[in-house]
Amino acid sequence: MTTDQTHTLIVGGGFGGIASALRCRALGHQVTLVDRLTELGGRAQVFEREGFRHDAGPTVITAPFMFEELFQLFNKDIADYADIVPLDTWYEFYFNDGKSFTYKGDIEHTFAEIAKFEPKDVAGYQSLLALSQKIFSVGFEQLSAQPFTTFTTMLKQVPALVRLQSYRTVFGLVSRFIHNEHLRKVFSVHPLLVGGNPYTTTSIYTLIHYLERQWGIHFCMGGTGALVVALKTLMQEEGILIQTECDVEQILIDDHRATGVVTSQGQTIRADNVVFNGDAPHAYRALLPKSLKRQPIRRPEAFTQYSMGLFVLYFGTRATYSDIAHHTIWLGPRHKELLEDIFDNHIVPDDFSLYLHRPTATDPSFAPDGCESFYVLCPVSNLKSGTDWEVEGPRLRDRIVTALNETILPGLTDTICAEFWMTPEDFKTQYRSEHGAGFSIAPTLTQSAYFRYHNRDPDVSNLYFTGAGTHPGAGLPGVLSSAKVVEHLMRDEGV
């Protein structure tokens, strides 16, 4: 095993980078983490406006044990650093016809909610959940932390993936068991939470059903930003050097070895290993030498499928909405056609579906007394649409506020305050995300496992990758698992 003489440099302070830094430190490495933003967290930034607080990015914690593991590496207890609480209501679904579906951890309650729409679908959901458990046991427990750096590794998994019908899409698999159209939308929503279209995302992602049932859905008091602060404290206690406002302009490669980075300030930081926790497509396009052979999964840009973009409206209200759940999925009249417009046609349609986050449902500290804090996330096309967001942003804001005002947030137009928004342009400039995609490349079958960005470059043996664009994928469990893959690779090779 290596000692503090081995210096590993982590580029990017998102959850994948933070987890990588801690895992490398536990291996005995000297670790430096650099990030171009003023605060750690990557897309999990925190915004403060006029007394209202907003988590900028991820808000759903589905596998809290993965965060607990990072503290256990150093014989510490996460409870001494952060307060992670389970939610009773996981999601409230609101349909354009006024119907609603409440999704809770109580499975008997779920059966009752299903029966309100279609009693026969209760048995179908039970069968779906049973299959989800089988997919989970392979896709999550066996493969999520398995390096897919060789095609041979992929071939060994093909029989299991075929048995589990991974060639189907999420919506296609759900539709085999669920017949009510409203319920099909409910139980195929998960790919959208990691950047995928349910009609094209591999059915491997139905494992999320069982993952939720296994551990529930949680929230960190103080928000996801409080979890970042807890992890930063742990890193500092363990001697990890952190440099923020440090923008990397080049990853240095010498004789098929990564030797460090050059920053925008002209600083050269040398290292024995480099772990990149940013958007992998951006790294290969802008940070690595043009002469470097690209990863085998790289295909012509025209054939690479990226996730959708995101329009995120943050706002406060000078009134309370106590009947609104912590997480609400607001579904518009169109479904498949809307997703085709977003993912394939690259246009901004007049209609939309929304994800509404109300953290004040669990933690009132997010807003002043008598007020609420919200953000509403609207899936839109990434920048391949050519949309002028300086023009379209205010228009979309008005349509969203009007729709919420007329449905689940009556009086919103009179009480909304302290509002601002982010568009795919902001994801491109602030997070260096190719095409402003919200979750890097899309989670299709031909862009998964071996066919996703590898966690280690095939030609540069000490250049590693974590994050949404790498195996196993986006979402908090995905990016935390990518750090475990890097640790696996380093351990196996005695790095």
Side-chain angles (χ1 to χ4, degrees):
M1 189 61 63
T2 54
T3 69
D4 279 354
Q5 294 178 347
T6 298
H7 180 211
T8 295
L9 175 65
I10 315 293
V11 180
F15 281 118
I18 290 171
S20 296
L22 289 165
R23 291 187 176 279
C24 288
R25 185 64 184 137
L27 289 176
H29 297 196
Q30 176 190 350
V31 179
T32 300
L33 186 153
V34 300
D35 192 276
R36 61 180 296 271
L37 300 177
T38 57
E39 299 292 341
L40 296 183
R43 300 183 187 199
Q45 298 294 301
V46 177
F47 298 138
E48 302 270 357
R49 294 290 191 281
E50 301 176 32
F52 296 90
R53 186 165 73 250
H54 307 281
D55 279 328
T59 61
V60 177
I61 299 173
T62 52
F65 78 93
M66 299 191 74
F67 287 105
E68 294 166 4
E69 287 178 345
L70 299 176
F71 291 83
Q72 291 166 358
L73 290 171
F74 306 97
N75 298 313
K76 295 182 178 180
D77 188 345
I78 192 173
D80 295 329
Y81 296 78
D83 183 13
I84 298 177
V85 300
L87 297 183
D88 177 48
T89 297
W90 293 351
Y91 299 101
E92 183 79 22
F93 289 83
Y94 176 85
F95 301 96
N96 70 293
D97 60 5
K99 295 180 179 179
S100 62
F101 180 95
T102 304
Y103 194 28
K104 293 190 173 189
D106 180 350
I107 197 163
E108 293 298 328
H109 181 274
T110 299
F111 294 158
E113 287 290 289
I114 292 172
K116 291 193 311 185
F117 289 85
E118 175 50 70
K120 294 179 181 178
D121 279 342
V122 173
Y125 177 72
Q126 291 172 318
S127 297
L128 175 64
L129 192 57
L131 179 58
S132 174
Q133 182 177 3
K134 294 178 181 177
I135 297 173
F136 171 88
S137 67
V138 175
F140 188 83
E141 294 184 330
Q142 297 180 31
L143 303 184
S144 65
Q146 165 71 48
F148 278 86
T149 54
T150 67
F151 193 61
T152 303
T153 305
M154 184 71 181
L155 286 176
K156 290 178 181 178
Q157 303 302 330
V158 168
L161 295 174
V162 171
R163 285 196 303 272
L164 296 173
Q165 305 177 55
S166 62
Y167 52 86
R168 295 184 185 274
T169 66
V170 168
F171 193 87
L173 188 63
V174 168
S175 296
R176 288 192 62 218
F177 300 96
I178 305 294
H179 297 92
N180 180 271
E181 288 299 323
H182 281 16
L183 297 177
R184 285 177 170 178
K185 295 174 184 178
V186 167
F187 296 119
S188 65
V189 75
H190 296 101
L192 287 165
L193 305 180
V194 294
N197 180 347
Y199 292 90
T200 59
T201 296
T202 171
S203 61
I204 293 171
Y205 281 83
T206 55
L207 66 83
I208 298 175
H209 287 292
Y210 187 76
L211 185 147
E212 289 176 339
R213 290 293 171 193
Q214 180 80 346
W215 290 290
I217 289 179
H218 296 71
F219 178 73
C220 183
M221 298 301 286
T224 314
L227 190 52
V228 173
V229 171
L231 290 164
K232 179 180 179 180
T233 300
L234 177 63
M235 286 193 291
Q236 291 172 328
E237 289 175 352
E238 297 304 323
I240 294 171
L241 177 63
I242 300 169
Q243 294 185 41
T244 55
E245 298 183 86
C246 183
D247 191 5
V248 170
E249 287 195 341
Q250 183 183 357
I251 298 173
L252 298 172
I253 306 294
D254 183 18
D255 194 25
H256 298 288
R257 297 281 296 176
T259 60
V261 300
V262 177
T263 72
S264 59
Q265 293 82 16
Q267 179 188 12
T268 297
I269 304 175
R270 297 291 179 181
D272 300 297
N273 306 293
V274 175
V275 181
F276 184 78
N277 174 232
D279 192 35
H282 170 73
Y284 277 95
R285 182 186 62 80
L287 304 181
L288 289 163
K290 301 300 181 185
S291 58
L292 183 66
K293 179 182 176 183
R294 301 305 174 93
Q295 292 200 26
I297 59 94
R298 285 292 286 169
R299 52 186 62 79
E301 178 69 13
F303 296 102
T304 300
Q305 295 175 276
Y306 287 83
S307 79
M308 76 284 205
L310 300 173
F311 177 86
V312 192
L313 173 63
Y314 304 89
F315 61 93
T317 61
R318 300 295 182 190
T320 58
Y321 292 88
S322 58
D323 57 338
I324 299 299
H326 193 121
H327 307 291
T328 299
I329 309 292
W330 187 101
L331 293 164
R334 295 193 305 155
H335 195 245
K336 183 177 183 179
E337 298 81 1
L338 173 64
L339 295 173
E340 287 176 346
D341 281 346
I342 293 171
F343 284 89
D344 303 325
N345 301 330
H346 295 296
I347 63 175
V348 179
D350 292 332
D351 59 329
F352 40 72
S353 288
L354 307 169
Y355 161 66
L356 182 69
H357 182 229
R358 176 184 167 241
T360 34
T362 304
D363 186 349
S365 72
F366 271 72
D369 290 343
C371 300
E372 302 273 19
S373 172
F374 289 96
Y375 89 44
V376 58
L377 182 154
C378 179
V380 296
S381 179
N382 57 47
L383 293 177
K384 287 189 174 184
S385 66
T387 302
D388 183 348
W389 283 104
E390 289 291 329
V391 174
E392 190 58 41
R395 292 176 179 171
L396 184 53
R397 174 269 178 206
D398 289 347
R399 295 204 303 274
I400 290 172
V401 170
T402 297
L404 293 174
N405 180 78
E406 293 175 350
T407 53
I408 62 175
L409 297 181
L412 178 61
T413 52
D414 296 324
T415 65
I416 190 171
C417 61
E419 60 181 288
F420 61 102
W421 57 78
M422 292 182 67
T423 75
E425 288 285 0
D426 296 303
F427 279 76
K428 179 181 178 180
T429 57
Q430 293 192 35
Y431 305 134
R432 302 283 170 81
S433 180
E434 290 292 284
H435 305 294
F439 304 87
S440 193
I441 62 174
T444 63
L445 182 60
T446 56
Q447 294 186 164
S448 297
Y450 176 80
F451 302 110
R452 205 162 181 82
Y453 278 92
H454 297 180
N455 301 100
R456 185 189 59 210
D457 186 271
D459 296 316
V460 183
S461 61
N462 65 335
L463 175 60
Y464 303 88
F465 292 87
T466 63
T470 68
H471 170 70
L476 291 181
V479 299
L480 293 175
S481 292
S482 70
K484 294 179 77 170
V485 177
V486 168
E487 180 190 20
H488 186 162
L489 288 165
M490 288 184 171
R491 278 188 181 277
D492 285 353
E493 294 158 13
V495 174

